[in-house]
Amino acid sequence: MRAITLEPGKRDSLRLDDLPEPSAAPGMLLVRALAVGVCGTDRELVEGLYGAAPAGRERLVLGHESLGRVINAPPGSEFSVGDMVAGIVRHPDPVPCPNCALGEWDMCRNGLYTERGIKQADGFCAERWRSAPEFTVKVSPVLGLAGVLLEPASILAKAWEHIERIGRRSRWAPRRVLVTGAGPVGLMAALMGLQRELEVHVLDRNKSGPKPALVEELGAKYHSQFPRLVFDVVVECTGAPGVIVQAVSGSAPGGIVCLTGLGGGQHVASFDVATLNQSMVLENRVVFGSVNANLRHYHGAAEALARAKRSWLDSIITRRVPLDDWREAYERRDGDVKTVLVFED
């Protein structure tokens, strides 16, 4: 079978390989790949910035945003042949830490987790892959190719869950939300904010292209400059230090800022820690980071996508690249929102 692999830590080692079929294991699903989403994490892996191959191997199968169809299911599982599914990215460490032992592997304490397509576990960018039922989620067939958005949506399902948990520390009645960044993660943040009947504003540097139209069609307000408003919730999806500083300063007293973006180490930020501290202490602000997701969040993401307008979800996918043209999927192009490598329509 064909699979896209790379040597972690080695720049431009990406290639299309012919690999053996995934090895059979008791109780595992066998899935035929339909599509794999490409994101900034994949491109950073291609650039050799991080990643780790499975033990005893030099190369890693890429791909963590999956969509596939079950072609063999173990007896007694909740899955059937023909089900559309996505695989969960992070798996608990083998020790396990207290959180992993409870199924909260997204909050792993000791860092010994694995991540498919990223850290010590093969990803989903292969024509066929296996997955344990407990690390697999059904995707509504109504979503079609847009089901590949489940993994990025799961990140925001977790972020919103934690925002609401923090909000319950006091009487909390949020009204206005700012999302910084109008990529797939930001758009999922905006979608879930609107599904909570909040007033949602989205900030992105693009003044043209598909992003303003996607935000407006969703029912949120688009800004190319930081709006002069105060926000009860900020979901920061860019990782840009300057935007983060503005996001914190633009939050209301008692406001919550959730950081979901990673900007890399190339930026150097300078800000007044004393002023930030005073602002957070005296006005009860909270700033926290959120990454990855567990099974509960994948199910929440599936519900959010099922409630979304199908044509809007389809519009997020701005490039569909067939496997034969796989190199094009990892190129950055103007106007891209979400690029998807398509194995089978």
Side-chain angles (χ1 to χ4, degrees):
M1 67 175 187
R2 293 180 295 173
I4 294 177
T5 74
L6 54 71
E7 186 177 335
K10 185 176 180 180
R11 184 180 178 88
D12 297 330
S13 62
L14 196 67
R15 72 189 188 203
L16 183 64
D17 279 337
D18 188 9
L19 299 183
E21 291 286 334
S23 58
M28 298 284 279
L29 297 167
L30 180 62
V31 180
R32 183 175 68 248
L34 298 178
V36 172
V38 177
C39 73
T41 297
D42 297 302
R43 294 189 176 101
E44 288 172 354
L45 284 160
V46 173
E47 291 170 9
L49 299 181
Y50 53 82
R57 299 241 309 272
E58 288 187 353
R59 301 190 68 83
L60 170 76
V61 176
L62 197 57
H64 60 279
E65 299 181 4
S66 62
L67 180 68
R69 192 177 300 281
V70 175
I71 53 179
N72 188 274
S77 75
E78 63 180 42
F79 296 91
S80 302
V81 173
D83 284 345
M84 283 180 58
V85 296
I88 290 176
V89 177
R90 183 174 289 192
H91 288 209
D93 66 81
V95 175
C97 78
N99 283 345
C100 286
L102 295 173
E104 305 282 341
W105 53 77
D106 55 309
M107 304 293 286
C108 182
R109 295 284 185 88
N110 59 21
L112 298 179
Y113 59 84
T114 60
E115 289 181 325
R116 298 198 62 166
I118 303 172
K119 180 178 182 281
Q120 298 176 321
D122 280 335
F124 304 104
C125 211
E127 289 182 300
R128 285 167 293 283
W129 43 269
R130 289 192 181 273
S131 182
E134 62 269 28
F135 291 101
T136 312
V137 181
K138 289 184 182 181
V139 177
S140 171
V142 174
L143 293 175
L145 187 62
V148 79
L149 298 171
L150 183 65
E151 192 277 337
S154 73
I155 306 298
L156 278 305
K158 173 186 174 178
W160 273 107
E161 177 192 273
H162 285 217
I163 289 167
E164 290 167 340
R165 284 185 179 182
I166 294 169
R168 289 196 291 269
R169 66 194 168 140
S170 64
R171 184 186 179 279
W172 195 55
R175 183 174 68 87
R176 184 180 291 145
V177 178
L178 175 66
V179 176
T180 56
V185 171
L187 292 169
M188 293 298 105
L191 169 68
M192 294 180 195
L194 287 163
Q195 289 179 341
R196 287 162 169 79
E197 299 183 348
L198 299 172
E199 176 188 318
V200 177
H201 298 252
V202 179
L203 171 69
D204 194 276
R205 62 186 178 182
N206 289 278
K207 296 182 179 180
S208 60
K211 290 182 177 180
L214 281 165
V215 170
E216 290 164 7
E217 183 184 351
L218 184 59
K221 298 179 182 179
Y222 188 87
H223 305 269
S224 58
Q225 295 183 336
F226 207 94
R228 295 182 179 179
L229 296 168
V230 177
F231 298 94
D232 305 301
V233 175
V234 180
V235 185
E236 207 297 303
C237 305
T238 70
V243 178
I244 294 170
V245 172
Q246 286 183 298
V248 175
S249 62
S251 63
I256 300 171
V257 179
C258 175
L259 308 178
T260 68
L262 292 172
Q266 70 272 29
H267 301 292
V268 177
S270 176
F271 60 93
D272 187 337
V273 175
T275 299
L276 176 66
N277 177 73
Q278 185 177 44
S279 168
M280 292 180 67
V281 172
L282 294 180
E283 296 187 330
N284 293 298
R285 288 184 174 92
V286 172
V287 180
F288 76 99
S290 182
V291 68
N292 213 274
N294 64 43
L295 181 60
R296 178 174 72 254
H297 306 128
Y298 275 83
H299 286 306
E303 292 174 7
L305 293 179
R307 293 171 57 194
K309 186 178 178 181
R310 166 68 188 276
S311 60
W312 180 80
L313 292 174
D314 286 340
S315 298
I316 294 174
I317 302 173
T318 46
R319 274 202 299 142
R320 297 162 174 80
V321 180
L323 183 59
D324 288 342
D325 301 323
W326 61 275
R327 287 191 182 277
E328 296 180 9
Y330 298 93
E331 299 172 356
R332 288 183 172 89
R333 296 188 180 180
D334 292 340
D336 278 351
V337 179
K338 169 56 71 178
T339 298
V340 173
L341 188 64
V342 179
F343 286 74
E344 180 183 318
D345 291 329

